[in-house]
Amino acid sequence: MRIFLDTANVDQIRQGVKLGIVSGVTTNPSLISKEGLADYKAVVKAICKIVPGPVSAEVVVEGVEPMIEQARDIATWASNVVIKIPATTDGLEVISVLSKEDIKINMTLCFSLNQALLGALAGATYVSSFVGRLDDIGHDGMELVRDIVDVFEYYQLTTEVIAASIRHPEHCVVAAKAGAHIATVPYKVLMQMIQHPLTDAGVTRFLADWQRVSQK
Ligand code: E4P
């Protein structure tokens, strides 16, 4: 399972990329506005330069034609940009049109197997299954990831499954076991993934023991 960072914070992206394990980034309008970033194009271009892989940027208009027009424009901003299109009826039409133009699409706000299947049939490169938001309303968000992975595998669909709306490290564990191709994680969760108190205690103990012997 590959790891994407789910953020529009350039410092966090730089830090994550430095670790050598971040292979992409997903943003959304809420994440962009959280950073107080007004120049959408400049921000996305800056992120695309830092990241050695796909960077998802979402359309921020409604309707088939406006979405197609905006997506075509965003697609010119960088060679590694991926356009996020919502899993709606209009979105499906947009995905079908753009995928034929070789524009990479991440079908976002995916909350059902049917939405994911239709997105794949329309030619989406990725579908983002929103785990945390399903958990929030009393569903098992990861069950959906599992189902999408199984069905895509069964029908040999090449669309990759992104486990999105990840809230804690255990989500990443379950997403990996479910066979998600990618988990897109907030920076805080990425940091939590590497941390373990026994590792810290072990390092402290090893160094202390080494000090003792090396000072003899
Ligand atoms: C995915 O691409 C979305 O940006 C993100 O995972 C949404 O997460 P949230 O439900 O925590 O807002």
Side-chain angles (χ1 to χ4, degrees):
M1 183 175 78
R2 309 199 298 285
I3 300 291
F4 287 3
L5 265 183
D6 194 30
T7 182
N9 184 295
V10 172
D11 292 334
Q12 291 181 349
I13 294 169
R14 275 208 186 90
Q15 283 302 319
V17 167
K18 228 166 63 176
L19 298 176
I21 43 79
V22 169
S23 53
V25 161
T26 52
T27 68
N28 64 42
S30 304
L31 291 171
I32 300 265
S33 88
K34 191 172 144 201
E35 299 303 320
L37 305 165
D39 190 342
Y40 193 22
K41 183 174 178 175
V43 178
V44 172
K45 283 179 87 163
I47 296 173
C48 284
K49 269 197 184 149
I50 303 169
V51 182
V55 173
S56 291
E58 192 154 341
V59 289
V60 283
V61 289
E62 285 187 300
V64 174
E65 281 315 317
M67 277 198 276
I68 289 177
E69 199 180 316
Q70 189 174 55
R72 282 183 181 141
D73 180 39
I74 296 173
T76 66
W77 295 353
S79 58
N80 54 338
V81 80
V82 173
I83 318 297
K84 264 185 165 179
I85 305 286
T88 59
T89 312
D90 282 356
L92 199 57
E93 190 175 332
V94 172
I95 295 169
S96 297
V97 170
L98 297 176
S99 62
K100 289 180 190 69
E101 299 174 13
D102 271 348
I103 292 176
K104 291 206 171 9
I105 307 294
N106 175 355
M107 183 197 244
T108 188
L109 291 166
C110 187
F111 294 100
S112 77
L113 177 56
N114 281 333
Q115 289 177 319
L117 183 58
L118 294 175
L121 295 176
T125 309
Y126 308 97
V127 293
S128 287
S129 184
F130 275 46
V131 177
R133 292 192 195 190
L134 274 177
D135 289 353
D136 289 346
I137 60 160
H139 290 250
D140 180 354
M142 213 49 89
E143 188 64 37
L144 176 59
V145 172
R146 227 171 271 124
D147 284 349
I148 299 172
V149 168
D150 288 351
V151 169
F152 282 12
E153 212 171 279
Y154 184 81
Y155 290 106
Q156 297 178 345
L157 297 167
T158 54
T159 302
E160 293 198 298
V161 182
I162 302 181
S165 190
I166 293 287
R167 301 280 164 77
H168 48 72
E170 185 59 18
H171 269 156
C172 300
V173 171
V174 186
K177 287 183 175 173
H181 300 93
I182 296 147
T184 188
V185 304
Y187 184 75
K188 183 179 157 209
V189 175
L190 177 65
M191 293 299 108
Q192 290 171 329
M193 285 172 78
I194 187 65
Q195 276 156 20
H196 199 288
L198 290 179
T199 305
D200 295 343
V203 168
T204 306
R205 168 95 66 87
F206 283 156
L207 290 177
D209 289 347
W210 185 250
Q211 283 281 329
R212 259 194 302 280
V213 78
S214 62
Q215 278 164 10
K216 273 186 186 166

